[in-house]
Amino acid sequence: MTERSARAGQRERNPIAALSRVLAALAESDQDSVGVRELARILNSPPSSVHRTLAAAQEVSLVSVTAADRWELGWELHRIASLAARKAPYRAAAADILDDLATSTGESALLAVYDTKRLARMWVATATSRHSVRFVPRLYEWLPAHAGAGGLAILAHRPAAELDELERRGLDRFTDTTITSRAELDQILEQVRADGYRVSRNEVNLGAVGVAAPITTHTGVTSSLALIVPQQRFTTAMERELPDRVVNAAEKLAQRLGDPVFGLPGDGPFNQGADN
């Protein structure tokens, strides 16, 4: 049995993990509803296992089945998601800082958060560039931590054990410039720690330059602030100026995280699983 199939088997035996994967697949699908066999192919799981998970989720209205025997997200899930969105503290904390950064630089500013179990990061808030040519990454999509400035700015401050596990899982290649070796990753992360920021080019998306800085709180680093710039517009002057702007914005947000006005105490969602 391969390591990948072993991990898949472990997920199948964990009902919460199985439910999470099914709900995520339904939410991420381009279709409003999906058949069981199609879901099974997407998840690389037996159709019988997928159907059992769907049936259990249907009992509490997290999913529903159509007349054509296809599955879609249920109203209870929409209700929970809507309530959860209202409590997302990073929106209040980061909104004006992202807006100021995007306005002062003319480029898209984004906030990334990191999950210590997935060893991945995702964009959770953005202020979009007003240029007609711009990069606007999708929010709430898990992305590799080892590729792109937003992930590397965080990864540089994570424990060695997480880097070991990331290496064990494999450093996937997305473009010709993606970091795929542990030696290169260690070298880059050392430079990030020395500089206080990371500039990446084409590591996740071709034609995109990222400039990111870690958001450091008293419990560690589990988030970063970044600018995404089309490579055709990224000048030498911008490479000199943008890092300071991003670092300053990240430091401002870091100072704000402990402010109870924003509902972000030191053990809040930015710091889950952080190394003390």
Side-chain angles (χ1 to χ4, degrees):
M1 178 182 292
T2 65
E3 181 177 319
R4 178 173 295 181
S5 61
R7 289 202 304 268
Q10 291 172 354
R11 289 194 299 265
E12 293 302 328
R13 289 190 293 271
N14 182 334
I16 301 300
L19 176 61
S20 175
R21 295 177 68 230
V22 166
L23 294 178
L26 287 172
E28 293 167 359
S29 173
D30 293 333
Q31 306 175 72
D32 292 334
S33 60
V34 185
V36 171
R37 293 193 177 278
E38 185 176 352
L39 271 176
R41 286 195 298 272
I42 293 171
L43 299 172
N44 191 29
S45 299
S48 58
S49 297
V50 173
H51 189 270
R52 280 196 300 271
T53 300
L54 288 167
Q58 185 184 21
E59 291 182 9
V60 289
S61 301
L62 292 177
V63 300
S64 60
V65 63
T66 70
D69 202 26
R70 293 171 65 83
W71 294 85
E72 60 188 8
L73 298 175
W75 282 113
E76 177 63 7
L77 182 63
H78 287 295
R79 185 187 74 84
I80 293 172
S82 178
L83 292 174
R86 297 179 194 176
K87 295 185 177 182
Y90 47 80
R91 292 184 177 176
D96 63 317
I97 293 176
L98 290 172
D99 286 341
D100 289 346
L101 185 59
T103 299
S104 65
T105 63
E107 305 300 340
S108 295
L110 299 104
L111 173 65
V113 297
Y114 171 80
D115 186 272
T116 60
K117 297 298 183 182
R118 292 177 181 268
L119 302 181
R121 46 92 184 193
M122 66 178 172
W123 303 116
V124 295
T126 184
T128 305
S129 167
R130 295 182 180 179
H131 288 289
S132 56
V133 178
R134 60 195 177 192
F135 267 98
V136 186
R138 291 174 57 179
L139 300 184
Y140 304 110
E141 178 179 343
W142 289 113
L143 297 168
H146 70 280
L152 292 169
I154 298 170
L155 208 58
H157 302 278
R158 299 305 306 166
E162 290 182 16
L163 300 181
D164 294 340
E165 176 61 17
L166 188 63
E167 180 186 17
R168 189 185 69 81
R169 296 183 189 183
L171 304 177
D172 293 336
R173 180 182 297 278
F174 298 89
T175 70
D176 289 342
T177 60
T178 302
I179 299 168
T180 56
S181 77
R182 176 62 184 271
E184 182 183 8
L185 178 63
D186 287 342
Q187 182 179 6
I188 293 296
L189 296 183
E190 183 178 356
Q191 190 64 52
V192 173
R193 288 188 288 270
D195 295 340
Y197 64 88
R198 167 68 176 168
V199 177
S200 65
R201 293 174 172 80
N202 306 309
E203 290 183 6
V204 180
N205 297 300
L206 293 177
V209 177
V211 182
I215 298 171
T216 306
T217 70
H218 70 279
T219 53
V221 175
T222 56
S223 56
S224 66
L225 211 60
L227 288 172
I228 306 295
V229 186
Q231 187 169 359
Q232 66 198 66
R233 193 162 60 240
F234 193 72
T235 64
T236 302
M238 293 175 77
E239 187 166 8
R240 289 195 303 267
E241 298 169 3
L242 293 188
D244 284 343
R245 292 178 182 267
V246 174
V247 168
N248 290 338
E251 290 176 348
K252 183 177 180 180
L253 183 53
Q255 293 171 1
R256 182 176 287 184
L257 296 187
D259 188 340
V261 170
F262 293 93
L264 287 172
D267 59 353
F270 284 92
N271 303 308
Q272 290 178 355
D275 184 39
N276 291 311

